[in-house]
Structures are given as structure tokens and as C-alpha cells.
């Protein structure tokens, strides 16, 4: 019974961990990794945008393009580079080497709890915070 209680206590904090990710730390990661192409406000107008064949997405309109829902899992997969270590297609580089480290448990909306690098969760939380 004690083991069940411990597991329940751990899983009970999952939502708290995912919901309290440091948006400011995510903003710092955004400035370092994303603003060169997506711009300081996330509108797709960074200094490198003009040199890209495909214009960077307006990251402030992700939810609007998805029926008002911010697709957290899909965004994390896009940032992460889909499949670690495999060839990444498109202009956006895979940032997974920069997003490794401590993991937090994230409920992905389908009842599955997944250990996810904390910097990736924080960056995604920041992107969610800038939706208009």
C-alpha cells in the first residue's frame, strides 16, 4: 500500500510540475534559440527570416491556427526535432541537444505521462504564453 501511495503522490504532482514551468526561463531559451528567425515577439520577422526559403511561422498564432487550442505535444515535437538524432527536414534546426537535462513529467493530453526535458517544457510554456 505504501508504494501505491508514493506513486499516487508522485503522479499527483505531475500537473503541478507541468503547469508551473518557468515561463521566464522559457523566454530566455526563446531569445537564444528562436528569435533569430521568429523575431523578438515571435511574429516570424527575425533578422535571419529574409534569408530563408520558407518564412518562419508566426509563433503568436499557433493556437489560432489550431482552432483556439495550443497543441503542446506537437509543438514540443517540432522544437525537439521529431526524432532525436535522425535527419531533420525543413529550415528549422533540431534543437534537441540544447534541450537535454533534467526531466519533468508531462501529461500529454491522452492520459500518458511522459518524462520531458525541463527546458523544452519551459520553452513550450513561453510559446503558449505569447498566443494572441
Amino acid at each position: 500500500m505504501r508504494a501505491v501511495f508514493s506513486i499516487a503522490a508522485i503522479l499527483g504532482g505531475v500537473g503541478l510540475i507541468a503547469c508551473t514551468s518557468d515561463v521566464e526561463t522559457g523566454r530566455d531559451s526563446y531569445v537564444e534559440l528562436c528569435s533569430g528567425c521568429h523575431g523578438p515577439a515571435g511574429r516570424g520577422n527575425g533578422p535571419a527570416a529574409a534569408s530563408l526559403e520558407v518564412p518562419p511561422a508566426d509563433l503568436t498564432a499557433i493556437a489560432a491556427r489550431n482552432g483556439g487550442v495550443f497543441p503542446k505535444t506537437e509543438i514540443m515535437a517540432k522544437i525537439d526535432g521529431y526524432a532525436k538524432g535522425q535527419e531533420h527536414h525543413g529550415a528549422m534546426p533540431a534543437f534537441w541537444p540544447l534541450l537535454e537535462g533534467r526531466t519533468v513529467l508531462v501529461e500529454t493530453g491522452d492520459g500518458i505521462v511522459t518524462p520531458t526535458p525541463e527546458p523544452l517544457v519551459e520553452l513550450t510554456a513561453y510559446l503558449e504564453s505569447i498566443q494572441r
Side-chain angles (χ1 to χ4, degrees):
M1 183 73 164
R2 183 180 181 113
V4 172
F5 177 75
S6 297
I7 292 170
I10 291 168
L11 292 178
V14 169
L16 180 64
I17 292 170
C19 293
T20 60
S21 293
D22 188 347
V23 172
E24 282 302 307
T25 302
R27 185 192 68 74
D28 293 344
S29 294
Y30 174 83
V31 169
E32 179 184 342
L33 301 172
C34 313
S35 65
C37 294
H38 292 281
R43 304 254 173 130
N45 60 348
S51 66
L52 298 173
E53 189 175 313
V54 176
D58 178 347
L59 300 178
T60 66
I62 295 169
R65 289 190 301 268
N66 195 48
V69 176
F70 185 79
K72 187 183 307 185
T73 303
E74 291 85 357
I75 295 304
M76 286 191 286
K78 179 76 171 177
I79 295 166
D80 195 39
Y82 297 104
K84 294 180 180 182
Q86 295 183 4
E87 184 178 344
H88 183 74
H89 301 289
M92 192 172 122
F95 290 111
W96 66 266
L98 302 172
L99 297 172
E100 292 182 329
R102 185 174 110 92
T103 61
V104 294
L105 298 175
V106 175
E107 201 283 321
T108 58
D110 53 6
I112 298 173
V113 178
T114 305
T116 306
E118 187 172 35
L120 179 58
V121 174
E122 292 168 341
L123 178 54
T124 303
Y126 172 72
L127 292 176
E128 187 170 18
S129 79
I130 64 170
Q131 299 306 293
R132 19 181 197 115

